[in-house]
Amino acid sequence: MPTARCWTEARRAVADTRALLAFRAASSTRRLRWALGGFVLVSLAAAVLPATAPGAGDSERAFDVLLLLPTTLVALLLVAVVSAVASGGGRELVAREAAAVHPISPTTDHLGALVLAPLNIAWLLQAWGLLAVTAYAVGPERLLPAQVGMVLWVALATAAAQVVAWCVEGVRRLPRGVAAVRAATRSWWPSRWACR
């Protein structure tokens, strides 16, 4: 099976996504710089400062936090999936009405959703919390390898959540797809958790 067409589409989608991001950023360049600067500053603070707290890495409390770290990893994945599914695949790069007159491929649309996923406040709070908990649990000695692993986990969980959301959106667009998705979520969602 030839893969040249697939690679050509992927390169074009990356170039189109870059152009669309530049188009969106052009209208608010100054605010965007402040927002990106704040994002980087808070992310670095969350990833480093808890490692300098008293008891970080070598106390009983740090060991307890380390034991709960896998649960935090799963929580981040679940929040990412629920957020992406609830937003219908997360297509925020270009509004659907504006995209009707522009030739934007589905690959570009999905790549843009993946790039913009960190703009979700639930995703941000979970990622910052995960970085902070990891920094406190491992302490300053093993901070860099642990945080590299956490950043890779956050990226993998975000990408996996987007794939799940796009699959659910694909099912939702089928004939009787909305009913199928509702039936699946009702059977998955226990009745005792239902809002009354």
Side-chain angles (χ1 to χ4, degrees), residues 22-100:
F23 177 72
R24 280 192 71 173
S27 63
S28 58
T29 306
R30 190 172 191 188
R31 285 184 288 167
L32 184 65
R33 285 184 188 151
W34 279 101
L36 285 176
F39 174 78
V40 169
L41 189 65
V42 172
S43 298
L44 286 174
V48 175
L49 289 181
T52 63
D58 61 356
S59 66
E60 246 184 78
R61 180 174 284 164
F63 182 72
D64 291 342
V65 170
L66 188 62
L67 287 177
L68 292 173
L69 201 54
T71 306
T72 309
L73 295 172
V74 172
L76 179 109
L77 178 63
L78 290 176
V79 166
V81 168
V82 169
S83 297
V85 169
S87 66
R91 292 176 177 83
E92 302 98 358
L93 192 57
V94 176
R96 193 177 304 262
E97 295 81 25

Coordinates of all heavy atoms in Angstrom, one line a residue, residues 22-100:
A22 N -1.5 31.2 12.9 CA -0.9 32.5 12.7 C -2.0 33.5 12.4 O -2.0 34.7 12.8 CB 0.1 32.5 11.5
F23 N -3.0 33.1 11.6 CA -4.2 34.0 11.3 C -4.9 34.3 12.5 O -5.3 35.5 12.7 CB -5.1 33.2 10.3 CG -6.3 34.0 9.9 CD1 -6.3 35.1 9.1 CD2 -7.6 33.6 10.4 CE1 -7.4 35.8 8.8 CE2 -8.7 34.3 10.1 CZ -8.6 35.4 9.3
R24 N -5.2 33.3 13.4 CA -5.9 33.6 14.7 C -5.1 34.5 15.6 O -5.6 35.4 16.3 CB -6.2 32.3 15.4 CG -7.4 31.6 14.8 CD -7.9 30.6 15.7 NE -8.5 31.1 16.9 CZ -9.1 30.4 17.8 NH1 -9.2 29.1 17.7 NH2 -9.6 30.9 18.9
A25 N -3.8 34.3 15.6 CA -2.9 35.0 16.5 C -2.7 36.5 16.1 O -2.4 37.3 16.9 CB -1.6 34.3 16.7
A26 N -2.9 36.7 14.8 CA -2.6 38.1 14.3 C -3.5 39.1 14.9 O -3.1 40.3 15.0 CB -2.7 38.1 12.7
S27 N -4.7 38.7 15.2 CA -5.7 39.7 15.7 C -5.4 40.1 17.2 O -5.8 41.1 17.7 CB -7.1 39.2 15.6 OG -7.2 38.0 16.4
S28 N -4.7 39.2 17.9 CA -4.4 39.5 19.3 C -3.0 39.2 19.7 O -2.8 38.4 20.6 CB -5.4 38.7 20.2 OG -5.3 37.4 19.9
T29 N -2.0 39.7 19.0 CA -0.6 39.4 19.2 C -0.1 39.8 20.6 O 0.5 38.9 21.3 CB 0.2 40.1 18.1 OG1 -0.3 39.8 16.9 CG2 1.7 39.7 18.3
R30 N -0.5 41.0 21.1 CA 0.0 41.4 22.4 C -0.6 40.6 23.5 O 0.1 40.1 24.4 CB -0.3 42.9 22.6 CG 0.4 43.4 23.8 CD 0.2 44.9 23.8 NE 1.1 45.5 24.8 CZ 1.1 46.7 25.1 NH1 0.2 47.6 24.6 NH2 1.9 47.2 26.0
R31 N -1.9 40.4 23.5 CA -2.5 39.5 24.5 C -2.0 38.1 24.4 O -1.9 37.5 25.5 CB -4.1 39.6 24.3 CG -4.7 40.9 24.8 CD -6.2 40.8 24.7 NE -6.5 40.8 23.2 CZ -7.7 40.6 22.7 NH1 -8.7 40.2 23.5 NH2 -7.9 40.6 21.5
L32 N -1.8 37.6 23.2 CA -1.3 36.2 23.1 C 0.1 36.1 23.7 O 0.3 35.1 24.4 CB -1.3 35.9 21.6 CG -0.9 34.4 21.3 CD1 -2.0 33.5 21.8 CD2 -0.8 34.2 19.8
R33 N 0.9 37.0 23.5 CA 2.3 37.0 24.1 C 2.2 36.9 25.6 O 2.9 36.2 26.3 CB 3.1 38.1 23.7 CG 3.6 38.0 22.3 CD 4.5 39.1 21.9 NE 4.8 39.1 20.5 CZ 5.1 40.1 19.7 NH1 5.1 41.3 20.3 NH2 5.3 40.0 18.5
W34 N 1.3 37.8 26.2 CA 1.1 37.8 27.7 C 0.6 36.5 28.1 O 1.0 35.9 29.2 CB 0.2 38.9 28.1 CG 0.9 40.2 28.2 CD1 0.9 41.2 27.3 CD2 1.8 40.7 29.2 NE1 1.7 42.3 27.7 CE2 2.3 42.0 28.9 CE3 2.2 40.1 30.4 CZ2 3.1 42.7 29.7 CZ3 3.1 40.9 31.2 CH2 3.5 42.1 30.9
A35 N -0.4 35.9 27.4 CA -1.0 34.7 27.8 C 0.0 33.5 27.7 O 0.1 32.7 28.6 CB -2.2 34.4 26.9
L36 N 0.8 33.5 26.6 CA 1.8 32.4 26.5 C 2.9 32.5 27.6 O 3.3 31.5 28.1 CB 2.4 32.4 25.1 CG 1.5 31.9 24.0 CD1 2.2 32.0 22.7 CD2 1.2 30.4 24.2
G37 N 3.3 33.8 27.9 CA 4.2 34.0 28.9 C 3.7 33.5 30.3 O 4.4 32.9 31.0
G38 N 2.5 33.9 30.6 CA 1.9 33.4 31.8 C 1.7 31.9 31.9 O 2.0 31.3 32.9
F39 N 1.4 31.3 30.8 CA 1.2 29.9 30.7 C 2.6 29.2 31.0 O 2.7 28.3 31.8 CB 0.7 29.4 29.3 CG 0.7 28.0 29.1 CD1 -0.3 27.2 29.7 CD2 1.6 27.4 28.3 CE1 -0.3 25.8 29.5 CE2 1.6 26.0 28.1 CZ 0.6 25.2 28.7
V40 N 3.6 29.7 30.4 CA 5.0 29.1 30.6 C 5.4 29.3 32.0 O 6.0 28.4 32.7 CB 6.0 29.7 29.6 CG1 7.4 29.3 29.9 CG2 5.6 29.2 28.2
L41 N 5.2 30.5 32.5 CA 5.6 30.8 33.9 C 4.9 30.0 34.9 O 5.6 29.4 35.8 CB 5.4 32.3 34.2 CG 6.0 32.8 35.5 CD1 7.5 32.8 35.4 CD2 5.5 34.3 35.7
V42 N 3.6 29.8 34.8 CA 2.8 29.0 35.8 C 3.2 27.5 35.6 O 3.4 26.8 36.6 CB 1.3 29.2 35.6 CG1 0.5 28.2 36.4 CG2 0.9 30.6 36.0
S43 N 3.4 27.1 34.4 CA 3.8 25.7 34.2 C 5.2 25.4 34.8 O 5.4 24.3 35.5 CB 3.9 25.4 32.7 OG 2.6 25.5 32.1
L44 N 6.2 26.3 34.6 CA 7.5 26.1 35.3 C 7.4 26.1 36.8 O 8.0 25.3 37.5 CB 8.5 27.1 34.8 CG 9.0 26.9 33.3 CD1 9.8 28.1 32.9 CD2 9.8 25.6 33.2
A45 N 6.6 27.1 37.3 CA 6.4 27.1 38.8 C 5.8 25.9 39.3 O 6.2 25.3 40.3 CB 5.5 28.3 39.1
A46 N 4.8 25.3 38.6 CA 4.1 24.1 39.1 C 5.0 22.9 39.0 O 5.0 22.0 39.8 CB 2.9 23.8 38.2
A47 N 6.0 22.9 38.0 CA 6.9 21.8 37.8 C 8.1 21.8 38.7 O 8.7 20.8 39.0 CB 7.3 21.7 36.4
V48 N 8.4 23.0 39.3 CA 9.7 23.1 40.0 C 9.5 23.4 41.5 O 10.1 22.8 42.4 CB 10.6 24.1 39.3 CG1 11.9 24.4 40.2 CG2 11.0 23.7 37.9
L49 N 8.6 24.4 41.8 CA 8.5 24.9 43.1 C 8.1 23.9 44.2 O 8.7 23.9 45.3 CB 7.6 26.1 43.2 CG 8.1 27.4 42.6 CD1 7.1 28.5 42.7 CD2 9.4 27.8 43.2
P50 N 7.2 23.0 43.9 CA 6.9 22.0 45.0 C 8.1 21.1 45.3 O 8.1 20.5 46.5 CB 5.8 21.2 44.3 CG 5.1 22.1 43.4 CD 6.3 22.9 42.8
A51 N 9.0 20.9 44.5 CA 10.2 20.1 44.8 C 11.1 20.8 45.9 O 11.9 20.1 46.5 CB 11.0 19.8 43.5
T52 N 10.9 22.1 46.0 CA 11.7 22.8 47.0 C 11.0 22.9 48.4 O 11.6 23.5 49.3 CB 12.1 24.2 46.5 OG1 10.9 24.9 46.3 CG2 12.8 24.1 45.2
A53 N 9.8 22.4 48.5 CA 9.0 22.5 49.7 C 9.7 21.5 50.8 O 10.3 20.5 50.4 CB 7.6 22.1 49.5
P54 N 9.5 21.9 52.0 CA 10.0 21.0 53.1 C 9.4 19.6 53.0 O 8.2 19.5 52.9 CB 9.6 21.7 54.4 CG 9.3 23.1 54.0 CD 8.9 23.1 52.6
G55 N 10.2 18.6 53.0 CA 9.7 17.2 53.0 C 9.5 16.6 51.6 O 9.1 15.5 51.5
A56 N 9.8 17.4 50.6 CA 9.6 16.9 49.2 C 10.6 15.8 48.9 O 11.8 16.0 49.1 CB 9.8 18.1 48.2
G57 N 10.1 14.7 48.5 CA 10.9 13.6 48.0 C 11.4 12.6 49.1 O 11.7 11.5 48.8
D58 N 11.4 13.0 50.4 CA 11.9 12.1 51.4 C 11.1 12.0 52.6 O 11.6 11.5 53.6 CB 13.4 12.5 51.7 CG 13.5 13.9 52.3 OD1 12.4 14.6 52.3 OD2 14.6 14.3 52.6
S59 N 9.9 12.4 52.6 CA 9.0 12.3 53.8 C 7.9 11.3 53.6 O 7.8 10.8 52.5 CB 8.4 13.7 54.1 OG 7.5 14.0 53.1
E60 N 7.2 11.0 54.6 CA 6.1 10.0 54.6 C 5.0 10.6 53.7 O 4.4 9.9 52.9 CB 5.6 9.8 55.9 CG 5.8 8.3 56.4 CD 5.1 8.1 57.7 OE1 3.9 8.0 57.8 OE2 5.8 8.1 58.7
R61 N 4.8 11.9 53.8 CA 3.8 12.5 53.0 C 4.1 12.5 51.5 O 3.3 12.2 50.6 CB 3.6 14.0 53.4 CG 2.5 14.7 52.6 CD 2.2 16.0 53.1 NE 1.4 15.9 54.3 CZ 1.2 16.9 55.1 NH1 1.8 18.1 55.0 NH2 0.4 16.7 56.2
A62 N 5.4 12.7 51.2 CA 5.8 12.6 49.8 C 5.7 11.1 49.2 O 5.3 10.9 48.1 CB 7.3 13.0 49.6
F63 N 5.9 10.1 50.1 CA 5.7 8.8 49.7 C 4.2 8.5 49.4 O 3.8 7.8 48.5 CB 6.2 7.8 50.7 CG 6.1 6.4 50.3 CD1 6.9 5.8 49.3 CD2 5.2 5.6 51.0 CE1 6.7 4.5 49.0 CE2 5.0 4.2 50.6 CZ 5.8 3.7 49.6
D64 N 3.3 9.0 50.3 CA 1.9 8.9 50.1 C 1.5 9.5 48.8 O 0.6 9.0 48.0 CB 1.1 9.5 51.3 CG 1.3 8.8 52.6 OD1 1.7 7.6 52.5 OD2 1.0 9.3 53.6
V65 N 2.0 10.7 48.5 CA 1.7 11.4 47.2 C 2.2 10.5 46.0 O 1.5 10.4 45.0 CB 2.3 12.8 47.2 CG1 2.2 13.4 45.8 CG2 1.6 13.7 48.2
L66 N 3.4 9.9 46.2 CA 3.9 9.1 45.1 C 3.0 7.8 44.9 O 2.8 7.4 43.7 CB 5.3 8.6 45.5 CG 6.1 7.9 44.4 CD1 6.3 8.7 43.2 CD2 7.4 7.4 45.0
L67 N 2.4 7.3 46.0 CA 1.5 6.2 45.8 C 0.2 6.5 45.1 O -0.4 5.7 44.4 CB 1.2 5.6 47.2 CG 2.3 4.8 47.9 CD1 1.8 4.3 49.2 CD2 2.7 3.6 47.0
L68 N -0.2 7.8 45.2 CA -1.4 8.2 44.6 C -1.2 8.8 43.2 O -2.1 9.1 42.5 CB -2.1 9.3 45.4 CG -2.7 8.8 46.7 CD1 -3.1 10.0 47.6 CD2 -3.8 7.9 46.5
L69 N 0.1 8.8 42.7 CA 0.4 9.4 41.4 C -0.3 8.6 40.3 O -0.8 9.3 39.3 CB 1.9 9.4 41.2 CG 2.4 10.4 40.2 CD1 1.9 11.8 40.4 CD2 3.9 10.4 40.2
P70 N -0.3 7.3 40.3 CA -1.0 6.6 39.2 C -2.5 7.0 39.1 O -3.1 7.1 38.0 CB -0.9 5.1 39.5 CG 0.4 5.0 40.3 CD 0.4 6.3 41.1
T71 N -3.2 7.2 40.2 CA -4.6 7.6 40.2 C -4.7 9.0 39.5 O -5.6 9.3 38.8 CB -5.1 7.7 41.6 OG1 -4.9 6.4 42.2 CG2 -6.6 8.0 41.6
T72 N -3.7 9.9 39.8 CA -3.7 11.2 39.2 C -3.5 11.1 37.7 O -4.1 11.9 36.9 CB -2.6 12.1 39.8 OG1 -2.7 12.0 41.2 CG2 -2.7 13.5 39.4
L73 N -2.7 10.2 37.2 CA -2.5 10.0 35.8 C -3.8 9.5 35.1 O -4.1 10.0 34.0 CB -1.4 8.9 35.6 CG 0.0 9.3 36.0 CD1 1.0 8.1 35.9 CD2 0.6 10.5 35.2
V74 N -4.5 8.6 35.7 CA -5.7 8.2 35.1 C -6.8 9.3 35.2 O -7.5 9.5 34.2 CB -6.3 6.9 35.9 CG1 -7.7 6.5 35.4 CG2 -5.3 5.7 35.7
A75 N -6.8 10.1 36.2 CA -7.7 11.2 36.3 C -7.5 12.2 35.2 O -8.5 12.7 34.6 CB -7.6 11.9 37.7
L76 N -6.2 12.5 34.9 CA -5.9 13.4 33.8 C -6.5 12.8 32.5 O -7.1 13.6 31.7 CB -4.4 13.7 33.7 CG -4.1 14.6 32.5 CD1 -3.7 15.9 33.1 CD2 -3.1 14.0 31.6
L77 N -6.3 11.6 32.2 CA -6.8 10.9 31.0 C -8.3 11.0 30.9 O -8.8 11.4 29.9 CB -6.3 9.5 30.9 CG -6.8 8.7 29.7 CD1 -6.2 9.3 28.4 CD2 -6.3 7.2 29.8
L78 N -9.0 10.7 32.0 CA -10.4 10.8 32.0 C -11.0 12.2 31.8 O -11.9 12.4 31.0 CB -11.0 10.2 33.3 CG -10.8 8.7 33.5 CD1 -11.3 8.3 34.9 CD2 -11.6 8.0 32.4
V79 N -10.3 13.2 32.4 CA -10.8 14.6 32.2 C -10.5 15.0 30.8 O -11.4 15.7 30.2 CB -10.1 15.5 33.2 CG1 -10.2 17.0 32.9 CG2 -10.6 15.3 34.6
A80 N -9.4 14.6 30.2 CA -9.1 15.0 28.9 C -10.1 14.3 27.9 O -10.6 15.0 27.0 CB -7.7 14.5 28.5
V81 N -10.5 13.1 28.1 CA -11.5 12.4 27.3 C -12.8 13.0 27.4 O -13.5 13.3 26.4 CB -11.5 10.9 27.6 CG1 -12.7 10.2 27.0 CG2 -10.3 10.2 27.2
V82 N -13.3 13.2 28.6 CA -14.6 13.8 28.8 C -14.7 15.2 28.2 O -15.6 15.6 27.6 CB -15.0 13.8 30.3 CG1 -16.2 14.7 30.6 CG2 -15.2 12.4 30.8
S83 N -13.6 16.0 28.4 CA -13.6 17.4 27.9 C -13.7 17.4 26.4 O -14.4 18.2 25.8 CB -12.4 18.1 28.4 OG -12.4 18.3 29.7
A84 N -12.9 16.5 25.8 CA -12.8 16.4 24.3 C -14.1 15.9 23.7 O -14.6 16.4 22.7 CB -11.6 15.6 23.9
V85 N -14.7 14.9 24.4 CA -16.0 14.4 23.9 C -17.1 15.4 24.0 O -17.9 15.6 23.1 CB -16.3 13.0 24.6 CG1 -17.7 12.6 24.3 CG2 -15.3 11.9 24.1
A86 N -17.1 16.1 25.2 CA -18.2 17.1 25.4 C -18.1 18.2 24.4 O -19.1 18.8 24.1 CB -18.1 17.6 26.9
S87 N -16.9 18.5 24.0 CA -16.8 19.7 23.0 C -16.9 19.2 21.6 O -16.6 20.0 20.6 CB -15.4 20.4 23.2 OG -14.4 19.5 22.9
G88 N -17.3 18.0 21.4 CA -17.6 17.5 20.0 C -16.3 17.3 19.2 O -16.3 17.6 18.0
G89 N -15.2 16.9 19.8 CA -14.0 16.7 19.1 C -13.1 17.9 19.2 O -11.9 17.9 18.8
G90 N -13.6 19.0 19.8 CA -12.8 20.1 20.1 C -12.3 21.0 18.9 O -11.2 21.5 18.9
R91 N -13.2 21.2 18.0 CA -12.8 21.9 16.8 C -12.9 23.4 17.1 O -14.0 24.0 16.8 CB -13.7 21.5 15.6 CG -13.4 20.1 15.2 CD -14.3 19.7 14.1 NE -14.0 18.4 13.6 CZ -14.4 17.3 14.1 NH1 -15.1 17.3 15.2 NH2 -14.1 16.1 13.6
E92 N -11.9 24.0 17.5 CA -11.9 25.5 17.8 C -11.0 26.3 16.9 O -11.0 27.5 17.0 CB -11.4 25.7 19.3 CG -12.2 25.0 20.4 CD -11.5 23.8 20.8 OE1 -10.4 23.4 20.3 OE2 -12.0 23.1 21.7
L93 N -10.3 25.6 16.0 CA -9.3 26.4 15.2 C -10.0 27.4 14.3 O -9.7 28.6 14.2 CB -8.5 25.4 14.4 CG -7.3 26.0 13.6 CD1 -6.3 26.6 14.6 CD2 -6.6 24.9 12.9
V94 N -11.1 27.0 13.6 CA -11.9 27.8 12.8 C -13.4 27.4 13.1 O -13.7 26.2 13.1 CB -11.6 27.7 11.3 CG1 -12.5 28.5 10.5 CG2 -10.2 28.1 11.1
A95 N -14.2 28.4 13.3 CA -15.7 28.1 13.5 C -16.2 27.4 12.3 O -15.8 27.6 11.2 CB -16.4 29.4 13.8
R96 N -17.2 26.5 12.6 CA -17.8 25.7 11.5 C -18.4 26.6 10.4 O -18.3 26.3 9.2 CB -18.9 24.8 12.1 CG -19.3 23.7 11.1 CD -20.3 22.8 11.8 NE -19.8 22.2 13.0 CZ -19.3 21.0 13.1 NH1 -19.2 20.3 12.0 NH2 -18.9 20.5 14.2
E97 N -19.0 27.7 10.8 CA -19.6 28.6 9.8 C -18.5 29.2 8.9 O -18.6 29.4 7.7 CB -20.4 29.7 10.5 CG -21.6 29.2 11.2 CD -21.2 28.7 12.6 OE1 -20.2 29.1 13.2 OE2 -22.0 27.8 13.1
A98 N -17.4 29.7 9.5 CA -16.3 30.3 8.8 C -15.6 29.2 7.9 O -15.1 29.5 6.8 CB -15.3 30.9 9.7
A99 N -15.5 28.0 8.4 CA -14.8 26.9 7.7 C -15.6 26.5 6.4 O -15.0 25.8 5.6 CB -14.6 25.7 8.6
A100 N -16.9 26.8 6.3 CA -17.7 26.4 5.2 C -17.2 27.0 3.9 O -17.3 26.4 2.8 CB -19.1 26.8 5.4

